[in-house]
Amino acid sequence: MQENNLVEHLQQQLRFARRTESAQAAVLVAITREDDPKVLLTRRSLQLSRHAGEVSFPGGKRDPTDANNIAVALREANEETGLSADDVELIGDLPVEEARSGITVKPVVGLISSSVHLVAQPAEIDRIFFASLRQLMNAPPVPHAIQYAQQTLYFPSMHVENEIVWGLTARILVNLFKYGLSYEKDWPFLLNTLNIGKDEKQ
C-alpha cells in the first residue's frame, strides 16, 4: 500500500457501527490529511491520578450531557487539545476496548488538517505530538516493563517520536490498522520474557 493511499483507504474501509456499542468513555483517533498521514497523540500529565505520563488519544469519560460516543470524543478532544469539532471529518469507529481500570472505551476516527492549531490543556496534557501512521505500522513490538505487586510483566510497545505507545492506545492503533488499512499487525498481549534480551539489543 502506497503512503498517499492511506487516507483514501481509511475513508473507504471505515464506517460507523450500525448498532451503537455502549461505552463509558470515548477517544478521538484524529489522522491528518497528507501524503504521510499522522495520528494525533498526547502524553498525559504526570499530575494525574490515573495513567499519568502515558501516551493516549484525546478522550475521556462520558458526561451526562453527552448524547453519544461521538459527542464524548469531540468534547474531550476540544478540552484537552483545543481541537474544534468543526475541524474534524468523522469517518467511522473501531471496536470497544477495555482499559486496565475496567472502563470500556469507544474509539471514534476522524480526519483533520495537518496545519490545525492545537494547545495542550496543562492540567491534563504534558505534550501533543503527531506520529506517522506508516512508522507505527512498521514499528516492531518492543518490550515495555510494568511492575506489579509481585511480578514484572512485559507488554508490547511502539517507540515513536521519543515516546512509548503501549496498552490501550497501542491496541486501538492495531485495530485501526486492521479495520481501516487491512493490515494485520502482530501484537501479542504479553511478550515472551525469554525473548526480552534479544529484542532489546535489536
Side-chain angles (χ1 to χ4, degrees), residues 8 34 37 71 93 101 120 138 163 195:
E8 181 180 340
E34 54 185 326
D93 57 21
S101 60
N138 294 331
E163 301 284 356
N195 294 327

Side-chain angles (χ1 to χ4, degrees), residues 27-29 39-46 48 50-59 80 99-100 105 124-132 136 144 146 156-173 187:
V27 296
L28 180 66
V29 183
V39 61
L40 168 63
L41 293 168
T42 66
R43 185 177 69 232
R44 292 169 59 84
S45 170
L46 290 173
L48 294 174
R50 289 179 178 269
H51 307 292
E54 294 183 8
V55 171
S56 66
F57 295 104
E80 292 181 359
R100 296 199 311 279
V105 180
E124 296 187 59
I125 302 299
D126 279 345
R127 182 191 179 198
I128 295 172
F129 66 101
F130 290 88
S132 163
L136 289 165
H144 180 61
I146 298 295
S157 70
M158 309 175 204
H159 290 194
V160 291
E161 300 297 322
N162 297 314
E163 301 284 356
I164 298 173
V165 183
W166 71 285
L168 175 68
T169 302
R171 296 199 308 273
I172 290 173
L173 284 169
W187 202 253

Side-chain angles (χ1 to χ4, degrees), residues 75-192:
R75 175 184 55 77
E76 286 283 345
N78 176 255
E79 292 176 1
E80 292 181 359
T81 71
L83 177 64
S84 170
D86 294 336
D87 292 329
V88 182
E89 176 193 346
L90 297 170
I91 59 174
D93 57 21
L94 298 169
V96 168
E97 287 282 345
E98 185 174 317
R100 296 199 311 279
S101 60
I103 292 174
T104 52
V105 180
K106 182 67 171 178
V108 176
V109 185
L111 301 176
I112 61 174
S113 167
S114 59
S115 60
V116 68
H117 178 66
L118 303 175
V119 178
Q121 209 290 336
E124 296 187 59
I125 302 299
D126 279 345
R127 182 191 179 198
I128 295 172
F129 66 101
F130 290 88
S132 163
L133 271 186
R134 179 65 66 179
Q135 289 183 18
L136 289 165
M137 291 169 69
N138 294 331
V142 178
H144 180 61
I146 298 295
Q147 182 66 50
Y148 290 91
Q150 303 296 329
Q151 62 181 328
T152 300
L153 296 179
Y154 293 88
F155 294 87
S157 70
M158 309 175 204
H159 290 194
V160 291
E161 300 297 322
N162 297 314
E163 301 284 356
I164 298 173
V165 183
W166 71 285
L168 175 68
T169 302
R171 296 199 308 273
I172 290 173
L173 284 169
V174 170
N175 276 341
L176 176 70
F177 303 151
K178 177 180 179 180
Y179 296 105
L181 298 171
S182 303
Y183 177 75
E184 295 274 356
K185 187 177 182 71
D186 182 23
W187 202 253
F189 177 73
L190 290 173
L191 284 175
N192 185 345

